[in-house]
Amino acid sequence: MPAERFVEQLNVQIGHEFSAHQQYIACAVYYDGLTMPQMAQFFFNQAMEERDHAMMMVQYLIDQSAPVKIPAVDQPVNEFADIVAPAELALEQEKRVTGQINELTKIAREENDFASDQFMQWFVKEQVEEVATMGDLVTVVNRSRNNIEAIEEYIQREQSGGATDPTAPPIAGAG
């Protein structure tokens, strides 16, 4: 069984992941309203990734016979000042999540909870990728704020999706 401190904080993190899911849906809807289908799809995909992260955490707790407590989620931001704002919000969100993941890893290590520490390593790696992706996106959107087609082309060219990571933890309910 994982350390109690880790279980408590992982349950909190599940809420953060579901909040990120909702926020990315709000970003997708904003871009869809601007007739930016590539950006909209990018953020819809990001939303599903965040949902999957939450469900990976749920599955880990289930597998460890630890209590799962699905928390309420924060209200997402639904209105944005300009085309850059959702991308900047996403970058800040990913930086915040990186801190949360690092804190979870720290707790697992302080508690000598080796299984939970090992579980968290995939998320540590994932956050490096997420911050880099969002950082690049902010750069491109800032540079091309007056050229929507250039942003759309960048997303289509660079963010068309990749293969499923075979090292990812199992997702609860994925079958």
Side-chain angles (χ1 to χ4, degrees):
M1 177 111 168
E4 186 175 325
R5 247 176 87 211
F6 181 82
V7 170
E8 288 172 13
Q9 196 57 43
L10 191 60
N11 274 298
V12 170
Q13 189 62 34
I14 289 167
H16 294 320
E17 299 293 332
F18 281 132
S19 288
H21 169 259
Q22 294 293 92
Q23 186 58 67
Y24 283 153
I25 290 173
C27 292
V29 169
Y30 172 79
Y31 285 120
D32 191 55
L34 296 177
T35 317
M36 295 179 72
Q38 299 300 321
M39 283 288 277
Q41 190 59 56
F42 172 78
F43 277 100
F44 280 128
N45 292 345
Q46 288 297 121
M48 291 309 299
E49 247 187 57
E50 299 304 330
R51 180 223 172 257
D52 287 351
H53 293 169
M55 297 306 285
M56 289 171 181
M57 293 171 183
V58 166
Q59 188 63 54
Y60 178 74
L61 292 174
I62 290 169
D63 289 346
Q64 294 292 320
S65 299
V68 178
K69 298 175 184 166
I70 306 299
V73 298
D74 297 331
Q75 172 75 33
V77 174
N78 286 292
E79 296 179 16
F80 302 97
D82 60 22
I83 198 170
V84 179
E88 289 176 333
L89 185 144
L91 175 58
E92 289 310 309
Q93 178 170 280
E94 291 301 342
K95 287 179 178 179
R96 187 173 49 255
V97 170
T98 297
Q100 294 162 348
I101 295 300
N102 290 342
E103 184 62 25
L104 274 160
T105 303
K106 178 182 169 193
I107 290 169
R109 289 179 178 181
E110 288 173 353
E111 297 289 331
N112 293 320
D113 182 351
F114 303 112
S116 295
D117 179 30
Q118 190 263 344
F119 170 71
M120 292 309 301
Q121 293 311 301
W122 183 87
F123 292 97
V124 170
K125 174 186 71 80
E126 178 73 5
Q127 283 311 120
V128 170
E129 295 170 10
E130 293 296 328
V131 170
T133 296
M134 291 306 175
D136 290 350
L137 183 62
V138 167
T139 298
V140 169
V141 174
N142 265 312
R143 182 175 54 227
S144 303
R145 68 174 61 225
N146 296 320
N147 186 351
I148 288 175
E149 289 76 23
I151 298 168
E152 289 286 277
E153 288 171 10
Y154 168 79
I155 293 296
Q156 188 169 25
R157 182 182 68 246
E158 299 295 327
Q159 303 298 327
S160 59
T164 303
D165 183 350
T167 66
I171 300 167

